[in-house]
PDB file of all heavy atoms in Angstrom:
ATOM      1  N   LEU B   2     125.916 145.783  19.059  1.00 62.00           N
ATOM      2  CA  LEU B   2     126.804 144.862  19.754  1.00 62.00           C
ATOM      3  C   LEU B   2     127.647 144.104  18.758  1.00 62.00           C
ATOM      4  O   LEU B   2     127.177 143.715  17.692  1.00 62.00           O
ATOM      5  CB  LEU B   2     126.011 143.869  20.567  1.00 62.00           C
ATOM      6  CG  LEU B   2     125.217 144.460  21.723  1.00 62.00           C
ATOM      7  CD1 LEU B   2     124.599 143.380  22.503  1.00 62.00           C
ATOM      8  CD2 LEU B   2     126.119 145.283  22.613  1.00 62.00           C
ATOM      9  N   ILE B 146     115.954 163.767  15.171  1.00 93.00           N
ATOM     10  CA  ILE B 146     116.252 162.555  14.413  1.00 93.00           C
ATOM     11  C   ILE B 146     116.759 162.922  13.016  1.00 93.00           C
ATOM     12  O   ILE B 146     117.672 162.274  12.488  1.00 93.00           O
ATOM     13  CB  ILE B 146     114.999 161.639  14.320  1.00 93.00           C
ATOM     14  CG1 ILE B 146     114.574 161.205  15.702  1.00 93.00           C
ATOM     15  CG2 ILE B 146     115.263 160.448  13.447  1.00 93.00           C
ATOM     16  CD1 ILE B 146     115.494 160.217  16.338  1.00 93.00           C
ATOM     17  N   VAL B 151     121.022 163.137   9.058  1.00 93.00           N
ATOM     18  CA  VAL B 151     121.854 163.952   8.153  1.00 93.00           C
ATOM     19  C   VAL B 151     123.315 163.778   8.517  1.00 93.00           C
ATOM     20  O   VAL B 151     124.171 163.580   7.623  1.00 93.00           O
ATOM     21  CB  VAL B 151     121.418 165.417   8.240  1.00 93.00           C
ATOM     22  CG1 VAL B 151     122.496 166.332   7.705  1.00 93.00           C
ATOM     23  CG2 VAL B 151     120.122 165.648   7.474  1.00 93.00           C
ATOM     24  N   LEU B 156     128.614 161.531   7.376  1.00 85.00           N
ATOM     25  CA  LEU B 156     129.746 160.700   7.754  1.00 85.00           C
ATOM     26  C   LEU B 156     129.981 159.612   6.749  1.00 85.00           C
ATOM     27  O   LEU B 156     131.106 159.319   6.351  1.00 85.00           O
ATOM     28  CB  LEU B 156     129.434 160.070   9.123  1.00 85.00           C
ATOM     29  CG  LEU B 156     130.584 159.813  10.058  1.00 85.00           C
ATOM     30  CD1 LEU B 156     131.346 161.094  10.312  1.00 85.00           C
ATOM     31  CD2 LEU B 156     130.037 159.277  11.369  1.00 85.00           C
ATOM     32  N   LEU B 225     143.511 148.311  29.295  1.00 87.00           N
ATOM     33  CA  LEU B 225     142.123 148.104  28.864  1.00 87.00           C
ATOM     34  C   LEU B 225     141.130 148.606  29.892  1.00 87.00           C
ATOM     35  O   LEU B 225     140.125 149.232  29.556  1.00 87.00           O
ATOM     36  CB  LEU B 225     141.905 146.614  28.580  1.00 87.00           C
ATOM     37  CG  LEU B 225     140.526 146.286  28.005  1.00 87.00           C
ATOM     38  CD1 LEU B 225     140.389 146.858  26.632  1.00 87.00           C
ATOM     39  CD2 LEU B 225     140.327 144.793  27.993  1.00 87.00           C
ATOM     40  N   PHE B 289     136.601 153.808  11.054  1.00 55.00           N
ATOM     41  CA  PHE B 289     137.387 154.936  11.572  1.00 55.00           C
ATOM     42  C   PHE B 289     137.117 154.977  13.071  1.00 55.00           C
ATOM     43  O   PHE B 289     136.211 154.332  13.574  1.00 55.00           O
ATOM     44  CB  PHE B 289     137.055 156.261  10.923  1.00 55.00           C
ATOM     45  CG  PHE B 289     135.597 156.452  10.617  1.00 55.00           C
ATOM     46  CD1 PHE B 289     134.670 156.700  11.611  1.00 55.00           C
ATOM     47  CD2 PHE B 289     135.162 156.409   9.309  1.00 55.00           C
ATOM     48  CE1 PHE B 289     133.360 156.892  11.304  1.00 55.00           C
ATOM     49  CE2 PHE B 289     133.850 156.598   9.013  1.00 55.00           C
ATOM     50  CZ  PHE B 289     132.931 156.850  10.009  1.00 55.00           C
ATOM     51  N   PRO B 318     141.707 151.777  20.031  1.00 35.00           N
ATOM     52  CA  PRO B 318     141.491 153.203  20.332  1.00 35.00           C
ATOM     53  C   PRO B 318     140.080 153.592  19.968  1.00 35.00           C
ATOM     54  O   PRO B 318     139.586 153.208  18.920  1.00 35.00           O
ATOM     55  CB  PRO B 318     142.494 153.933  19.448  1.00 35.00           C
ATOM     56  CG  PRO B 318     143.150 152.893  18.617  1.00 35.00           C
ATOM     57  CD  PRO B 318     142.508 151.587  18.856  1.00 35.00           C
ATOM     58  N   GLU B 354     144.980 130.781  19.774  1.00 40.00           N
ATOM     59  CA  GLU B 354     144.770 129.836  20.837  1.00 40.00           C
ATOM     60  C   GLU B 354     144.710 130.545  22.166  1.00 40.00           C
ATOM     61  O   GLU B 354     144.012 130.148  23.066  1.00 40.00           O
ATOM     62  CB  GLU B 354     145.908 128.814  20.901  1.00 40.00           C
ATOM     63  CG  GLU B 354     145.446 127.454  20.485  1.00 40.00           C
ATOM     64  CD  GLU B 354     146.491 126.712  19.709  1.00 40.00           C
ATOM     65  OE1 GLU B 354     147.633 127.172  19.683  1.00 40.00           O
ATOM     66  OE2 GLU B 354     146.179 125.689  19.144  1.00 40.00           O
ATOM     67  N   GLU B 356     143.805 133.674  22.577  1.00 45.00           N
ATOM     68  CA  GLU B 356     142.929 134.811  22.684  1.00 45.00           C
ATOM     69  C   GLU B 356     141.628 134.486  23.394  1.00 45.00           C
ATOM     70  O   GLU B 356     141.191 133.356  23.476  1.00 45.00           O
ATOM     71  CB  GLU B 356     142.570 135.306  21.310  1.00 45.00           C
ATOM     72  CG  GLU B 356     141.178 134.880  20.957  1.00 45.00           C
ATOM     73  CD  GLU B 356     140.966 134.783  19.505  1.00 45.00           C
ATOM     74  OE1 GLU B 356     141.949 134.585  18.791  1.00 45.00           O
ATOM     75  OE2 GLU B 356     139.841 134.913  19.113  1.00 45.00           O
ATOM     76  N   LEU B 404     120.782 137.019  23.005  1.00 86.00           N
ATOM     77  CA  LEU B 404     120.254 135.692  22.669  1.00 86.00           C
ATOM     78  C   LEU B 404     119.900 135.637  21.182  1.00 86.00           C
ATOM     79  O   LEU B 404     120.204 134.670  20.476  1.00 86.00           O
ATOM     80  CB  LEU B 404     119.006 135.430  23.506  1.00 86.00           C
ATOM     81  CG  LEU B 404     118.464 134.009  23.489  1.00 86.00           C
ATOM     82  CD1 LEU B 404     119.422 133.107  24.201  1.00 86.00           C
ATOM     83  CD2 LEU B 404     117.101 133.964  24.146  1.00 86.00           C
TER      84      LEU B 404
END
Side-chain angles (χ1 to χ4, degrees):
Chain B
L2 296 186
I146 298 289
V151 161
L156 212 57
L225 185 67
F289 38 73
E354 250 144 11
E356 104 206 24
L404 191 70

